[in-house]
Amino acid sequence: MEGLTPVNLVQFGTILLAALVHASLQLGLGALLLLYHASLGKHIKKKTKQLASNYILGVTLLTVLIVSTAAFIIGTITSSSLSVEALAIIVGILLMLAIIIWFFYYRTRRSTELWLPKSVARYIGTRAKLTESNTEAFSLGMLSSLAEIPFSIVLMILAGNSILGLPINLQIFAVLLYTFIAILPLFILRFSIRRGNTVVDVQKWRMKNKEFLKVMTGVGFMTLALFIIGFRILGG
Amino acid sequence: MGIAKLSKKKLHDEIIREAKVLGIHSGTSEIIADKVVLKIMKWREGRSMITEEDLNERLAKELAKYNEDLAYLFKSKDKII
């Protein structure tokens, strides 16, 4: 971080916070768990590992593409970065998402079923069951990332916007850093299964901690909003 | 939740598949599946129709006698995302 200006540090702070909030979203993790569940019942462990790796690759690629595209579009339209007015709108959306997460993220108290329309959740579940090849697992990763877009797009737009404010030699690093943090829970799940934990252990952990995770995700959205207000809107 | 179409073989295979997810020995899972399928078929008698939710709940109840984690898989079926 040597040689970084305070402005660059604010940009990195935004990217880190946005990536952490992205990492706390549950759809990608849930879909990977479904894939493990479906695959372990049908295939040998090696095949399941390959499918999980390809799923993670799909999520990774889509995240890199969306963050880079967001940066490119913002850079092309504005020639620099988002205006204060645009940032104020994004802050409004972040605060709204924090409230939505607290009250509507999980469908019921008794399960980890998410806000998704039933048909979409069922489709992802069916695709996880039908996944046989690496390509299908890769596509499932992309599909679950797309389904999470209502919550993640604003985070990726903010990250893309902050990346534009960094020196050119740090921009690719920043995209990769965001992506790495956003997909970290998927690696942790993979590592956890590899260490001998079962799908049931992971799901029980998710159930036990879902309220905590929900609160923290909402707090994350709110913290990011306050960070933008403090350092980008008021701090200019 | 849809109406469950009950078939002995399908039920048996499903229990074996879920047991494999947990790494339960195949001999053990065969014994569990045989016993649970019998119980479920007996429970099903006299019911004109059962929903998938009813079936999964009953399966979880019967499987819990042999393996809590296996029961949990049926209890949390379609409730992960």
Side-chain angles (χ1 to χ4, degrees):
Chain A
M1 292 285 173
E2 201 180 318
L4 284 178
T5 64
V7 174
N8 290 159
L9 288 176
V10 170
Q11 312 287 16
F12 262 116
T14 311
I15 293 164
L16 281 175
L17 260 175
L20 282 171
V21 179
H22 192 154
S24 70
L25 296 174
Q26 291 295 308
L27 182 55
L29 200 66
L32 180 57
L33 198 59
L34 280 177
L35 179 63
Y36 264 115
H37 183 182
S39 179
L40 282 169
K42 286 187 293 186
H43 304 120
I44 55 168
K45 278 185 181 170
K46 193 180 169 193
K47 174 80 176 167
T48 303
K49 277 183 199 168
Q50 283 174 357
L51 293 179
S53 296
N54 278 280
Y55 173 93
I56 295 173
L57 198 63
V59 176
T60 307
L61 187 73
L62 201 73
T63 309
V64 167
L65 282 176
I66 296 177
V67 174
S68 314
T69 307
F72 176 74
I73 292 174
I74 294 167
T76 307
I77 293 174
T78 66
S79 307
S80 57
S81 59
L82 291 174
S83 64
V84 171
E85 290 81 4
L87 286 174
I89 292 170
I90 288 180
V91 164
I93 296 171
L94 286 172
L95 294 174
M96 189 185 74
L97 287 175
I99 293 166
I100 289 174
I101 295 252
W102 283 330
F103 293 102
F104 306 108
Y105 196 56
Y106 290 107
R107 194 178 278 273
T108 66
R109 281 184 171 274
R110 288 169 286 115
S111 72
T112 52
E113 281 175 279
L114 297 169
W115 51 274
L116 285 172
K118 267 282 179 198
S119 56
V120 178
R122 213 171 292 137
Y123 183 67
I124 292 176
T126 310
R127 284 308 319 158
K129 277 180 201 156
L130 294 176
T131 296
E132 295 284 342
S133 69
N134 292 339
T135 317
E136 285 170 321
F138 181 85
S139 310
L140 182 67
M142 291 186 118
L143 175 71
S144 70
S145 292
L146 281 176
E148 205 158 48
I149 280 271
F151 285 94
S152 61
I153 189 72
V154 71
L155 301 170
M156 292 192 274
I157 289 174
L158 269 179
N161 181 55
S162 297
I163 285 163
L164 285 174
L166 290 171
I168 194 93
N169 57 340
L170 285 177
Q171 289 184 351
I172 291 176
F173 169 73
V175 173
L176 295 178
L177 178 72
Y178 178 93
T179 307
F180 175 73
I181 295 172
I183 63 165
L184 205 53
L186 305 180
F187 277 115
I188 293 171
L189 171 60
R190 196 179 184 285
F191 185 67
S192 163
I193 302 267
R194 196 176 169 179
R195 286 285 305 270
N197 285 313
T198 63
V199 169
V200 170
D201 295 330
V202 178
Q203 181 58 16
K204 279 184 179 169
W205 184 90
R206 288 182 74 218
M207 268 303 290
K208 194 176 155 196
N209 295 290
K210 71 174 226 182
E211 288 301 320
F212 172 71
L213 289 171
K214 184 177 79 176
V215 170
M216 288 315 292
T217 308
V219 168
F221 272 100
M222 202 154 263
T223 309
L224 185 58
L226 294 175
F227 189 86
I228 301 292
I229 293 171
F231 288 100
R232 304 295 298 278
I233 297 177
L234 298 178
Chain B
M1 262 314 147
I3 304 299
K5 287 172 193 156
L6 214 54
S7 125
K8 249 183 180 178
K9 189 180 171 345
K10 206 179 135 196
L11 209 55
H12 185 274
D13 290 351
E14 199 175 347
I15 295 170
I16 298 290
R17 196 168 52 241
E18 298 294 347
K20 199 181 163 201
V21 171
L22 297 173
I24 297 172
H25 189 272
S26 59
T28 312
S29 57
E30 283 286 347
I31 294 169
I32 294 174
D34 288 344
K35 289 186 174 178
V36 170
V37 168
L38 269 180
K39 288 271 187 185
I40 294 292
M41 287 302 166
K42 200 174 269 181
W43 166 77
R44 194 229 184 281
E45 283 170 15
R47 286 178 167 78
S48 54
M49 69 167 101
I50 46 172
T51 65
E52 282 177 28
E53 198 169 8
D54 291 338
L55 177 61
N56 288 331
E57 262 177 40
R58 190 69 199 186
L59 274 166
K61 194 179 168 189
E62 292 299 335
L63 284 164
K65 294 173 188 167
Y66 305 98
N67 188 304
E68 283 286 343
D69 283 354
L70 193 51
Y72 189 85
L73 277 181
F74 281 93
K75 216 165 118 186
S76 61
K77 205 172 177 189
D78 298 327
K79 290 177 184 167
I80 289 180
I81 60 165

